[in-house]
Amino acid sequence: MSRTLFENALILTVDDQNTVYRSGWLLVEGDKIAALGNGTYSGDREGVASVNAAGRALLPGFVDAHTHVAGSLFKGLLEDDPNGFYGFALPMEGRLTREDVYHLSLLGAWECMQAGITTVNEIYHYSLQVAQALDEIGIRAVVSQNIVDVDIGALRYNDYTRDPAKGEAFLEENIQLIERYHGRDNGRITCRVGPHATDTVSMELAKKCVAVGQKYGVGFHTHVAQSEREVAQLKAGYGLTPVEFLRETGLLGDHLMAAHCIYTTPSDIRLLAESGTHMLHCTQGLGRDSDFPPTKEMFAAGVDIVLGTDWLTMDPWDNMRFAIGLNRQHGVDHATAGALEMLRRSTIQPARALGLGDRIGSLEPGKQADLLLLDTTGPNLTPMFHDPVVTIVYNACRGDVTDVMVDGRFTVRGRRLQTQKEEDILLLGQTTAMDVYHRHVVGLH
Ligand SMILES: [Zn+2]
């Protein structure tokens, strides 16, 4: 069994007491954290590879509660376009092939790991290729298939024509995904069922998704109330709000990861809180689109809010700062929208929401060794006072992450990807993205 000892590190454990060791050590044995403490390690050093982490901080890897890693495709295409999501991105997604999604997933996963994300809760098209890429690159992942029974490229025309056969085919791919990948590599890859959004699956299809989840004992991942278009569609079709639709289908509950929840009513918020549904708050993307959920009321009601990056830019550091700034602008108090809270909502809290809280999300003995090392010697992290959590959350950048470990294996070391050739990922990512873009733009004319 391999043994790695990190020594002389500033350790932010993010355990229940938020213990910080100013100069501590952490021993990894095999895929797990064996022990950690302050001061000098005095145990047995036989077969131990020592890493001198002086000048570096050791943190649990980030658990990204909601993303689409292949969505890094759209970086630079949507950010300044107010109609970019429905008008450009969703129609362009229709051009993607399985091979495109595989290459773009590797690109996005490398971006995640470079920033210190060790777990992604992922939902996208061609989930078999997404899972293959995430498995190969060595990140921890919870993968769902995007299930829809409409043409998402036609939503820009408010065309919601249902195609049940299409919905069945996507559900079938989700079943294949679960059968092939759920529990793979000692549980590093797990799966969920992914009805895409409350307006892009019919009530009937959503109920079938619930039945599949119950059969396999897996949870669900979806998008909720992300546009006024979605709210209007559900009102016209069923006389329900998106959250009421979730309740009617059986999706609402502790087993559901529900992204966005922007257009929600006070009664919806009560339903989310009472059911234990997890609200995936993607602050960086929402800030760009100037959409914002009623988080002040959600925090007050006790909704479980956890942070996700949601494609384009997958940067958990910026995301925490967006979460602090935007929530404060929307009336959330400084402690709730503060450094420690947002670090917890990016690590241990999403881990618990995913049902993985006993395995990941904090640095504690017996947990899987999913962690990151951060260079704290730069001017952006100097000076460091009595509360390093505040200094780090407000000032650390993805470029400060030097090493990343998943399941006790270095996936990033000295800022270089260890599991794949990063030059190949970047080159294939760029050429694939250009190719999809050109196919789409030519196809439009
Ligand atoms: Zn999303």
Side-chain angles (χ1 to χ4, degrees):
M1 190 194 297
S2 68
R3 304 178 82 206
T4 305
L5 176 66
F6 297 96
E7 300 185 87
N8 311 311
L10 164 62
I11 304 178
L12 313 189
T13 64
V14 198
D15 64 8
D16 284 345
Q17 292 74 41
N18 299 304
T19 307
V20 172
Y21 299 118
R22 297 303 299 226
S23 178
W25 56 270
L26 183 146
L27 178 66
V28 175
E29 286 184 348
D31 59 350
K32 288 193 169 63
I33 298 168
L36 72 166
N38 213 9
T40 308
Y41 173 72
S42 57
D44 158 33
R45 285 182 177 262
E46 182 156 351
V48 165
S50 173
V51 176
N52 183 2
R56 289 192 280 175
L58 194 55
L59 282 79
F62 287 100
V63 179
D64 189 339
H66 176 74
T67 196
H68 322 276
V69 285
S72 60
L73 164 66
F74 298 109
K75 194 182 283 147
L77 294 176
L78 305 182
E79 293 89 335
D80 282 353
D81 179 355
N83 192 34
F85 180 65
Y86 285 105
F88 195 86
L90 292 187
M92 186 162 148
E93 283 189 352
R95 312 279 173 184
L96 288 165
T97 66
R98 287 190 180 273
E99 202 183 349
D100 295 334
V101 168
Y102 170 75
H103 291 304
L104 293 166
S105 295
L106 285 176
L107 177 65
W110 169 213
E111 178 178 349
C112 288
M113 282 207 287
Q114 187 207 36
I117 295 170
T118 51
T119 300
V120 285
N121 184 38
E122 158 70 40
I123 174 170
Y124 209 56
H125 313 286
Y126 300 131
S127 57
L128 290 168
Q129 278 62 44
V130 176
Q132 184 190 346
L134 298 178
D135 184 28
E136 287 174 3
I137 205 165
I139 199 168
R140 186 180 303 282
V142 182
V143 188
S144 304
Q145 164 70 27
N146 237 354
I147 299 168
V148 299
D149 58 4
V150 295
D151 174 2
I152 55 169
L155 296 184
R156 65 193 142 146
Y157 309 121
N158 260 327
D159 177 356
Y160 277 91
T161 307
R162 300 286 172 184
D163 180 349
K166 184 175 179 172
E168 291 289 338
F170 288 134
L171 185 55
E172 182 54 38
E173 177 154 358
N174 208 138
I175 291 169
Q176 279 184 41
L177 172 78
I178 294 168
E179 292 193 342
R180 218 178 285 179
Y181 282 95
H182 187 59
R184 182 179 281 234
D185 193 18
N186 191 30
R188 182 169 58 82
I189 308 288
T190 54
C191 303
R192 291 186 157 233
V193 181
H196 168 259
T198 55
D199 60 336
T200 54
V201 291
S202 62
M203 178 80 78
E204 194 187 0
L205 181 57
K207 286 181 175 172
K208 284 182 181 171
C209 290
V210 171
V212 168
Q214 285 171 344
K215 178 180 171 197
Y216 287 94
V218 300
F220 306 93
H221 188 183
T222 194
H223 298 83
V224 182
Q226 56 183 337
S227 69
E228 286 170 309
R229 181 192 311 253
E230 178 182 346
V231 174
Q233 169 63 19
L234 283 161
K235 189 151 200 275
Y238 302 105
L240 299 171
T241 68
V243 176
E244 289 165 352
F245 175 87
L246 295 174
R247 183 191 58 195
E248 293 303 307
T249 56
L251 281 166
L252 203 68
D254 176 50
H255 53 221
L256 179 65
M257 300 294 277
H260 310 320
C261 306
I262 298 165
Y263 298 94
T264 42
T265 65
S267 135
D268 289 337
I269 293 169
R270 269 198 307 280
L271 282 174
L272 289 170
E274 285 165 7
S275 63
T277 303
H278 309 286
M279 191 286 217
L280 321 179
H281 191 27
C282 303
T283 48
Q284 195 173 21
L286 296 182
R288 270 193 309 258
D289 293 341
S290 60
D291 288 329
F292 209 79
T295 50
K296 186 180 175 194
E297 291 74 14
M298 288 176 170
F299 279 117
V303 176
D304 183 42
I305 298 177
V306 293
L307 301 189
T309 59
D310 197 10
W311 80 355
L312 306 194
T313 302
M314 286 163 286
D315 187 328
W317 305 98
D318 276 351
N319 208 39
M320 288 192 289
R321 294 187 277 267
F322 270 90
I324 292 168
L326 290 173
N327 276 298
R328 285 183 184 174
Q329 277 184 28
H330 286 80
V332 179
D333 65 80
H334 274 50
T336 307
L340 179 61
E341 271 293 313
M342 290 310 165
L343 181 61
R344 293 189 67 84
R345 290 176 194 278
S346 303
T347 51
I348 185 62
Q349 217 161 305
R352 286 179 180 151
L354 286 163
L356 299 171
D358 57 339
R359 303 193 79 208
I360 57 167
S362 59
L363 301 178
E364 296 179 76
K367 284 202 166 178
Q368 300 304 117
D370 286 14
L371 51 85
L372 67 90
L373 273 176
L374 187 79
D375 182 350
T376 58
T377 59
N380 57 322
L381 292 171
T382 307
M384 190 84 79
F385 287 109
H386 52 279
D387 191 348
V389 172
V390 178
T391 310
I392 287 173
V393 169
Y394 280 93
N395 298 283
C397 300
R398 60 183 309 131
D400 299 329
V401 176
T402 60
D403 299 75
V404 177
M405 194 176 245
V406 178
D407 262 350
R409 178 165 74 134
F410 279 111
T411 52
V412 179
R413 193 140 204 208
R415 297 189 171 86
R416 299 302 304 259
L417 184 63
Q418 301 297 296
T419 51
Q420 304 252 311
K421 279 179 90 172
E422 58 189 70
E423 296 81 358
D424 291 352
I425 291 177
L426 295 172
L427 184 63
L428 278 163
Q430 176 72 24
T431 52
T432 302
M434 291 304 283
D435 194 40
V436 179
Y437 176 79
H438 284 128
R439 281 200 316 262
H440 180 55
V441 172
V442 170
L444 276 181
H445 292 272

